[in-house]
């Protein structure tokens, strides 16, 4: 009897309930919270091609956006082929980003801005080389990285370069004539030929095998006697298509390629990419990681500047000073190897942190290195910097003024040697740079000796930064836990660090997938090579090695 009552009660409890006669009104749905854009997301202003040049002229003249930070080619599929421009005002310290596009994929034309910024000349040639966009009014629409007889434009989404370009064993043709495209008042396109070198020019090839070009870089140099009249850089001898490869890699997989760019800024390059991905994906890194990254970046800067000094000395015949530099650089590489496992390609920064915590010996060895390097730095001055031969070979040689370095986008030591205060560690602090006190080194002469002195003084400042941080590394995780598959919200993002040679930037466009739609690197060396013609004109051919050495480009960073 009790069992029957229990069963009846359970059935009553589980029976469907009759709806109430007066049901309560449903609670209103919560208003979706508006997500803020990522800190590094670019707000792109769209311009029609016919309005682009006039607006660019206005931004430069009236709003003082005098630095063309990046000019990046894009393939937006049905939305057309186009360009993203990042402009920076050196007086107001602010950025504006714009984009323009053409839907004509067969004959894509956009207006040039090479008459406004010198660096646009080589940037637009890069876009033409990879995307096939011709720039109206540009005086030199030759390829810049690929062979002149290359078929197709490999950065287009629909291009198949392996099918259209068999392996060629013949010599690359080099043209002395180029085509300029202009739009007439009636809308028609006309062409005219511009001459690079005439038959009367005496042209000497410097590189790509010359040791003083610091890599496989080829300069065609027109001479009048011993004076340089013109330089035509030929690039791409070690172009590896890194930006194209990135489009088929997941975000963690893209990290390894950054260290194959400027191998003397490997730590900083990878830091820039990790920072761009982290900010775009909303990944927080610990304060411990920020300290470690800052210390490692400064060690990388000292490493690079020591090699800069050593190779410049070797180029100018000071072999003893060359050996002094390599002696001291080994100490840094030993510290790197103990914590990172590598000496040149370090693979240390990861998305959300670093690969491993610092070695137990790290703090001790760093604190031993600081006084060691300060003592040995004086030897550099004694044997080379204060030597009368160095002064005679470098002072007044290869001069760039402040307006020129800004127009060419020569950031880093080359820009600061001409009086341009452009150090991102000061003007756009990241990592732990807002916690340290250091001096931004600038000179006003803009010559080769000033470029040398900027690097020498920056070694001292880097030691000062490391010294302030090494005893205060906070406790905490060295790696933030991230999702197994990292996806970045759709948008365009940009982050940059102060590399050993200047601003190393990462422009990332995402469609919301686990692969980047476009991942472009702002090379620190490409603007430096672009400026070589202007720097070297009317100097002696013997000065070319000293000028190239003090400008301090690294070729894999240029070619990518």
């Amino acid at each position: 009897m009790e069992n029957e009552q229990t069963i009846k009660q359970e059935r009553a409890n589980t029976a469907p309930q009759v709806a109430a006669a007066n049901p309560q009104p449903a609670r209103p749905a919560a208003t979706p919270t508006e997500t803020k854009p990522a800190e590094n997301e670019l707000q792109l202003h769209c311009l029609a091609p016919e309005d682009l040049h006039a607006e660019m002229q206005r931004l430069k003249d009236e709003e003082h956006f005098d630095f063309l930070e990046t000019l990046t080619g894009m393939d937006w599929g049905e939305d057309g082929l186009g360009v993203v421009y990042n402009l920076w005002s050196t007086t107001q310290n602010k950025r504006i980003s714009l984009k323009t596009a053409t839907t004509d994929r067969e004959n894509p034309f956009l207006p040039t801005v090479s008459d406004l910024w010198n660096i646009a000349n080589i940037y637009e040639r890069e876009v033409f080389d990879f995307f096939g966009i011709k720039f109206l009014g540009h005086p030199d629409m030759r390829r810049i990285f690929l062979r002149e007889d290359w078929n197709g434009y490999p950065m287009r989404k629909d291009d198949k370069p392996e099918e259209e370009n068999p392996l060629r064993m013949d010599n690359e043709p080099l043209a002395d004539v180029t085509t300029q495209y202009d739009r007439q008042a009636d809308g028609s396109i006309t062409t005219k030929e511009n001459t690079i070198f005439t038959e009367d020019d005496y042209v000497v090839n410097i590189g790509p095998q010359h040791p003083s070009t610091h890599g496989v870089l080829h300069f065609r140099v027109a001479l009048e006697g011993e004076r340089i009249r013109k330089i035509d850089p030929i690039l791409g001898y070690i172009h590896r298509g890194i930006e194209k490869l990135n489009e088929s890699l997941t975000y963690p997989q893209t990290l390894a390629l950054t260290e194959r760019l400027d191998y003397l800024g490997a730590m900083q390059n990878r830091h820039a990419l990790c920072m761009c991905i982290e900010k775009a994906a909303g990944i927080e890194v610990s304060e411990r990681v920020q300290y470690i990254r800052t210390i490692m970046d400064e060690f990388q800067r000292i490493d690079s500047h020591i090699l800069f000094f050593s190779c410049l000395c070797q180029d100018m015949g000071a072999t003893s000073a060359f050996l002094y530099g390599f002696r001291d650089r080994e100490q840094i590489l030993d510290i790197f190897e103990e914590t990172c496992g590598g000496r040149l390609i370090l693979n240390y920064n990861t998305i959300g942190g670093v690969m491993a915590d610092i070695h137990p010996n790290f703090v001790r060895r760093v604190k031993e290195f600081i006084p060691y390097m300060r003592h040995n730095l004086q030897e550099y001055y004694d044997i080379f910097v204060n030597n009368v031969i160095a002064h005679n070979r470098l002072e007044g040689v290869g001069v760039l003024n402040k307006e020129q370095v800004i127009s060419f986008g020569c950031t880093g030591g080359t820009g600061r040697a001409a009086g341009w205060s452009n150090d991102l560690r000061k003007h756009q602090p990241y990592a732990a740079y807002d916690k340290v006190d250091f001096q931004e080194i600038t000179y006003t002469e803009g010559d080769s000796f000033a470029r040398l002195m900027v690097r020498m003084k920056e070694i001292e400042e880097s030691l000062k930064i490391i010294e302030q941080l090494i005893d205060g590394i906070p406790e905490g995780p060295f790696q933030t836990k991230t999702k197994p598959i990292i996806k970045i919200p759709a948008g365009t993002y940009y982050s940059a660090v102060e590399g050993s040679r200047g601003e190393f930037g990462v422009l990332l466009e995402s469609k919301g997938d686990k692969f980047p739609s476009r991942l472009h690197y702002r090379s620190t060396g490409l603007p430096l090579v672009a400026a070589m013609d202007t720097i070297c004109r009317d100097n002696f051919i013997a000065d070319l090695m000293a000028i190239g050495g003090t400008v301090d480009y690294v070729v894999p960073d240029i070619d990518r």
Side-chain angles (χ1 to χ4, degrees):
M1 199 64 182
E2 289 180 357
N3 288 341
E4 286 184 14
Q5 289 178 346
T6 303
I7 292 171
K8 288 179 180 178
Q9 184 65 37
E10 287 177 353
R11 286 176 177 173
N13 291 339
T14 58
Q17 300 296 316
V18 178
N22 298 310
Q24 294 293 322
R27 181 179 298 177
T31 305
T33 56
E34 185 177 345
T35 57
K36 293 183 179 179
E39 178 187 342
N40 62 337
E41 185 172 359
L42 300 179
Q43 304 303 313
L44 298 174
H45 302 268
C46 299
L47 290 175
E50 58 269 21
D51 300 329
L52 177 73
H53 191 275
E55 178 62 9
M56 289 295 210
Q57 181 89 59
R58 187 191 69 80
L59 289 170
K60 182 171 186 279
D61 295 343
E62 298 180 16
E63 299 195 28
H64 309 292
F65 284 96
D66 48 352
F67 171 33
L68 177 57
E69 196 172 25
T70 61
L71 190 159
T72 309
M74 293 286 186
D75 183 354
W76 288 303
E78 293 181 357
D79 293 332
L81 298 165
V83 175
V84 170
Y85 302 85
N86 271 353
L87 305 181
W88 183 265
S89 170
T90 61
T91 56
Q92 303 172 65
N93 282 336
K94 66 178 184 179
R95 177 184 292 118
I96 187 171
S97 303
L98 310 97
K99 75 173 189 177
T100 190
T102 173
T103 55
D104 186 350
R105 299 182 70 89
E106 294 299 320
N107 288 294
F109 286 100
L110 291 175
T112 186
V113 293
S114 61
D115 56 326
L116 303 178
W117 295 278
N118 286 328
I119 188 57
N121 186 300
I122 207 164
Y123 281 168
E124 289 177 351
R125 286 181 64 188
E126 178 182 11
V127 174
F128 166 68
D129 200 357
F130 293 150
F131 292 89
I133 300 172
K134 302 180 183 74
F135 290 88
L136 298 167
H138 192 290
D140 186 5
M141 278 281 90
R142 289 177 298 158
R143 291 187 182 270
I144 185 66
F145 291 109
L146 303 178
R147 291 172 58 111
E148 293 182 16
D149 55 1
W150 184 270
N151 295 315
Y153 304 101
M155 291 297 290
R156 290 191 183 189
K157 302 295 185 182
D158 55 359
D159 191 71
K160 298 179 180 179
E162 68 281 359
E163 296 180 6
E164 301 173 2
N165 295 276
L167 178 64
R168 296 184 177 92
M169 301 301 294
D170 54 330
N171 291 330
E172 176 184 2
L174 296 177
D176 287 332
V177 176
T178 183
T179 302
Q180 176 174 328
Y181 300 88
D182 295 293
R183 189 183 298 278
Q184 302 304 311
D186 61 359
S188 61
I189 304 293
T190 60
T191 61
K192 71 173 183 178
E193 288 189 346
N194 293 329
T195 301
I196 310 299
F197 295 114
T198 68
E199 292 184 358
D200 296 331
D201 287 325
Y202 185 79
V203 180
V204 174
N205 290 289
I206 305 293
Q209 290 85 17
H210 198 289
S212 291
T213 57
H214 294 207
V216 281
L217 177 63
H218 180 190
F219 288 129
R220 292 200 296 170
V221 185
L223 298 175
E224 186 175 328
E226 292 187 45
R227 296 280 183 182
I228 297 172
R229 293 302 178 220
K230 187 174 185 178
I231 289 183
D232 179 37
I234 309 296
L235 309 178
Y237 284 90
I238 54 170
H239 172 66
R240 294 150 292 169
I242 284 178
E243 294 183 5
K244 183 68 173 179
L245 290 172
N246 282 330
E247 296 177 6
S248 59
L249 300 177
T250 63
Y251 287 104
Q253 289 174 331
T254 62
L255 301 183
L257 301 184
T258 57
E259 297 183 302
R260 275 76 176 174
L261 299 169
D262 178 357
Y263 46 80
L264 298 178
M267 194 74 76
Q268 300 148 348
N269 297 352
R270 191 153 163 152
H271 185 176
L273 179 55
C274 287
M275 186 168 69
C276 186
I277 294 171
E278 288 160 359
K279 288 183 177 180
I283 299 171
E284 296 284 341
V285 298
S286 69
E287 193 174 14
R288 181 177 183 82
V289 169
Q290 302 288 27
Y291 272 64
I292 293 172
R293 284 179 174 179
T294 305
I295 292 170
M296 290 298 193
D297 280 6
E298 292 311 304
F299 262 118
Q300 185 78 80
R301 197 178 319 279
I302 297 171
D303 164 21
S304 176
H305 287 356
I306 289 176
L307 196 67
F308 156 85
F309 169 82
S310 302
C311 293
L312 176 64
C313 294
Q314 176 75 353
D315 290 346
M316 296 176 62
T319 305
S320 297
F322 169 80
L323 297 174
Y324 283 18
F326 268 76
R327 170 201 65 190
D328 299 333
R329 182 170 175 261
E330 284 296 302
Q331 304 298 318
I332 297 175
L333 300 187
D334 288 345
I335 294 173
F336 276 159
E337 185 176 20
E338 200 168 46
T339 287
C340 308
R343 298 171 71 83
L344 188 70
I345 305 302
L346 302 164
N347 297 313
Y348 191 54
N349 284 309
T350 61
I351 300 171
V354 292
M355 187 66 69
D357 208 349
I358 54 176
H359 192 275
N361 295 336
F362 182 79
V363 173
R364 175 184 60 81
R365 295 193 66 173
V366 168
K367 293 171 76 171
E368 291 173 351
F369 175 80
I370 292 171
Y372 165 87
M373 190 64 221
R374 281 179 174 147
H375 174 270
N376 286 2
L377 195 59
Q378 185 57 45
E379 294 180 351
Y380 296 12
Y381 284 87
D382 294 341
I383 196 171
F384 184 78
V385 178
N386 294 335
N387 191 302
V388 65
I389 298 175
H391 282 262
N392 290 340
R393 290 288 307 277
L394 299 176
E395 287 181 347
V397 173
V399 177
L400 276 180
N401 60 41
K402 183 178 178 180
E403 290 72 24
Q404 288 173 321
V405 293
I406 294 174
S407 185
F408 275 109
C410 296
T411 54
T414 300
R416 292 192 285 276
W420 179 18
S421 176
N422 59 25
D423 195 328
L424 296 183
R425 298 172 297 172
K426 284 285 190 184
H427 300 291
Q428 302 174 55
Y430 55 94
Y433 285 109
D434 58 344
K435 298 177 174 63
V436 292
D437 177 38
F438 68 100
Q439 180 185 356
E440 180 180 7
I441 305 298
T442 59
Y443 283 73
T444 58
E445 293 82 356
D447 60 5
S448 295
F449 193 77
R451 292 190 284 272
L452 167 64
M453 289 307 300
V454 167
R455 271 76 171 196
M456 298 302 296
K457 295 297 183 183
E458 284 188 351
I459 293 176
E460 300 175 29
E461 295 304 310
S462 292
L463 291 171
K464 186 190 299 183
I465 291 171
I466 295 170
E467 190 172 43
Q468 293 174 67
L469 295 176
I470 193 61
D471 281 328
I473 301 176
E475 295 297 323
F478 64 84
Q479 175 66 52
T480 299
K481 188 174 182 180
T482 60
K483 295 179 179 179
I485 297 176
I486 296 174
K487 294 184 179 181
I488 291 177
T492 306
Y493 306 87
Y494 184 78
S495 294
V497 301
E498 183 64 31
S500 303
R501 265 148 290 284
E503 178 181 334
F504 180 84
V506 177
L507 190 143
L508 188 161
E509 183 164 278
S510 170
K511 301 297 185 186
D513 202 355
K514 63 180 180 179
F515 309 105
S517 175
R518 178 84 165 95
L519 190 53
H520 170 70
Y521 300 117
R522 185 196 184 274
S523 162
T524 58
L526 188 57
L528 302 176
V529 169
M532 283 295 286
D533 179 39
T534 300
I535 303 174
C536 293
R537 286 201 182 194
D538 297 325
N539 286 282
F540 289 107
I541 183 67
D543 295 329
L544 176 60
M545 307 312 162
I547 295 170
T550 58
V551 165
D552 192 27
Y553 45 74
V554 170
V555 177
D557 168 60
I558 298 166
D559 282 356
R560 283 160 283 148

